[in-house]
Amino acid sequence: MSWRTVVISSKSKLSYKNNYLIVRNDDVKMIHLSEINTLVIDTTLVSITSILICELLNRKIKIIFCDEKHNPNGEVMPYYGSHNTSKKVAMQAGWDKNIKALVWKKIIKQKIKNQSNILKKFNKENIIKLNQYIEQVQENDSTNREGHSAKVYFNSLFGMEFNRELDSDINSALDYGYTILLSAINREIVNNGYITQIGINHKNEFNQFNLGCDLMEIFRPVVDKVVYENRNFNFDREFKYKLINVLNEKICIDKSEYYLSNGISLYLKSVFKAIEDKKIESIIDIEVI
């Protein structure tokens, strides 16, 4: 099922009534909360009632606030996503390091495979080189095949002059899309009863989304695809809407197509099951198409 990402981009008052989001500006619009996956407040000229915020949190609908430059600035998500959150967090803190090493290896191999798929989709070079990197990935990616593949991949996709440190529309678009993706991943982590701070590989004490950063890796190429397809346009509001809608892109699981939002849910459940059962084969393969 495809879910709506609702974007509020003009001066409005948002309220709640009888299971509906009420948007009041020049006219009045009503959207049933059951249809909404994410609410993006893309302007600072919005007022929102506390009861609406509570209802959105109760239904696990992510709220993303943007700053005066229309860039994502923060998000709101519920404290608890599962009836046994305390138990799951205790388990998460004690995840076996050997299993985590194998999970990270699997994540990186899948990420590079999807990067290879993107290059193939757009008839780019270095597909063979990326496929070689896949075979070279070790536990914990100790030889940093991820870093090597990223350089080759982005140069193949956007040109040899491109790098991720440039101040450019492409990098701004990538960062914006990754933020939307990370938000969706964080939402699903909380829904499953875990916390975002304790990661599999990421361990930055200043990053409250370590686990989200881990689990979003294989989905990044979906954002890359959208950005590449729109690379000749300015990074404007229309471009941002395309990136906000990234959760309705299609991916492939076991030869069947799923919306990205649904694929994220299935994938995270499989990763958590693999860690808890110590069976890496439980992790499903996600293919970007």
Side-chain angles (χ1 to χ4, degrees):
M1 179 178 180
S2 175
W3 298 92
R4 297 174 65 176
T5 297
V6 176
V7 182
I8 308 298
S9 57
S10 60
K11 184 177 181 179
S12 307
K13 179 178 180 180
L14 308 184
S15 58
Y16 168 82
K17 184 177 181 180
N18 296 334
N19 297 316
Y20 281 87
L21 162 64
I22 311 297
V23 183
R24 289 185 172 87
N25 37 49
D26 293 335
D27 54 10
V28 178
K29 300 181 181 67
M30 301 175 64
I31 306 172
H32 201 277
L33 296 186
S34 65
E35 300 178 11
I36 304 174
N37 175 281
T38 304
L39 174 64
V40 179
I41 311 297
D42 191 33
T43 174
T44 57
L45 302 176
V46 166
S47 62
I48 182 170
T49 64
S50 58
I51 188 172
L52 173 61
I53 294 174
C54 288
E55 286 296 327
L56 294 172
L57 291 176
N58 288 338
R59 295 168 185 259
K60 301 176 183 177
I61 297 171
K62 179 62 67 68
I63 312 168
I64 299 176
F65 289 96
C66 297
D67 60 20
E68 66 280 0
K69 296 181 179 179
H70 306 284
N71 293 318
N73 194 36
E75 61 184 38
V76 181
M77 56 186 180
Y79 280 134
Y80 305 107
S82 173
H83 68 282
N84 60 345
T85 293
S86 295
K87 176 182 178 181
K88 289 191 173 182
V89 172
M91 295 170 64
Q92 182 179 358
W95 280 345
D96 185 273
K97 65 178 183 180
N98 295 320
I99 294 299
K100 290 198 294 183
L102 291 172
V103 169
W104 187 242
K105 176 181 177 181
K106 175 93 172 181
I107 288 173
I108 296 307
K109 293 183 72 165
Q110 285 191 309
K111 177 184 180 180
I112 300 174
K113 177 61 178 174
N114 281 327
Q115 290 174 332
S116 176
N117 288 345
I118 293 297
L119 295 187
K120 182 177 180 180
K121 179 179 180 67
F122 296 115
N123 298 312
K124 300 296 183 178
E125 298 179 346
N126 291 316
I127 297 170
I128 293 177
K129 181 175 288 188
L130 289 191
N131 289 338
Q132 290 173 342
Y133 285 150
I134 294 172
E135 300 304 317
Q136 297 168 3
V137 177
Q138 300 179 11
E139 289 185 18
N140 274 326
D141 190 26
S142 57
T143 57
N144 193 27
R145 294 300 93 181
E146 179 189 15
H148 289 293
S149 67
K151 178 176 175 55
V152 172
Y153 167 69
F154 281 116
N155 286 155
S156 300
L157 190 61
F158 294 115
M160 292 302 297
E161 71 284 357
F162 176 81
N163 70 71
R164 285 287 286 132
E165 304 302 319
L166 289 174
D167 182 9
S168 67
D169 278 357
I170 290 178
N171 272 324
S172 295
L174 289 172
D175 291 340
Y176 191 95
Y178 293 154
T179 300
I180 298 299
L181 177 59
L182 177 60
S183 178
I185 298 287
N186 289 337
R187 174 180 183 271
E188 199 60 37
I189 289 171
V190 173
N191 286 352
N192 278 275
Y194 299 94
I195 59 174
T196 60
Q197 289 87 347
I198 302 177
I200 295 169
N201 181 72
H202 286 78
K203 302 174 182 177
N204 189 329
E205 65 178 297
F206 303 108
N207 181 8
Q208 61 177 317
F209 303 128
N210 284 311
L211 185 56
C213 290
D214 288 330
L215 297 176
M216 72 180 285
E217 292 295 347
I218 70 163
F219 298 104
R220 284 179 182 266
V222 181
V223 174
D224 304 339
K225 179 183 71 170
V226 175
V227 172
Y228 182 81
E229 291 172 337
N230 296 274
R231 67 195 180 282
N232 294 322
F233 295 89
N234 293 327
F235 183 50
D236 54 14
R237 181 168 293 179
E238 183 178 352
F239 198 159
K240 289 179 180 179
Y241 287 169
K242 292 180 183 294
L243 291 167
I244 288 172
N245 197 46
V246 72
L247 298 179
N248 287 322
E249 290 288 317
K250 295 290 188 67
I251 59 172
C252 186
I253 302 174
D254 293 333
K255 299 182 180 179
S256 297
E257 290 189 2
Y258 293 81
Y259 288 106
L260 177 58
S261 56
N262 296 334
I264 287 172
S265 178
L266 293 171
Y267 177 72
L268 265 62
K269 284 181 172 62
S270 75
V271 172
F272 296 142
K273 178 176 175 57
I275 294 174
E276 301 298 353
D277 295 346
K278 299 184 179 180
K279 293 181 179 180
I280 300 303
E281 59 272 18
S282 296
I283 301 178
I284 61 177
D285 290 325
I286 300 290
E287 184 177 359
V288 176
I289 56 178

